[in-house]
Amino acid sequence: SVAAARGLAMARKIPVAGVPVLDAMALDAGFSVVATEAPRGLLFSQFTGSAPVQSTFEDMPLPPAGTTAQVIGFRAGDIAERIGGVVRAPLYSLPEAIARAAMRMIQSGDVPLPVPLYIRPADAAPARDKPPVMLD
């Protein structure tokens, strides 16, 4: 999807901005913890201002002591109870939040090209065989 967005933007000569889902979910929510479901019973979570992580619910990082986080997304009630936060619905639907965040980037002139965000390592291992030799 990132390659398609970049290709369309280049062809149409329009700006394109990448907005991670967790950032969009937390848009304008103040200090927050956002989470979304990940494969294999895990979750992706992110505190405002930090990088997203993949973990189990039990191993999820905790916010700094003394902060009250607004918890948004997957298992929000469980997370809020665990960290002493408050459950909150996102302020915007996901498509609207992505559009708002992208527009802010474009208006500010700070528009990094979208790139894939890989939170966990790939399941497949690199090939052990040597690559074929290309002939001239």
Side-chain angles (χ1 to χ4, degrees), residues 127-134:
R128 292 184 184 169
D129 299 336
K130 291 183 180 180
V133 176
M134 301 304 286

Side-chain angles (χ1 to χ4, degrees), residues 15 17 99-111:
R100 284 176 179 270
M103 184 55 67
R104 289 176 190 175
M105 284 184 217
I106 291 166
Q107 288 173 340
S108 74
D110 182 22
V111 189

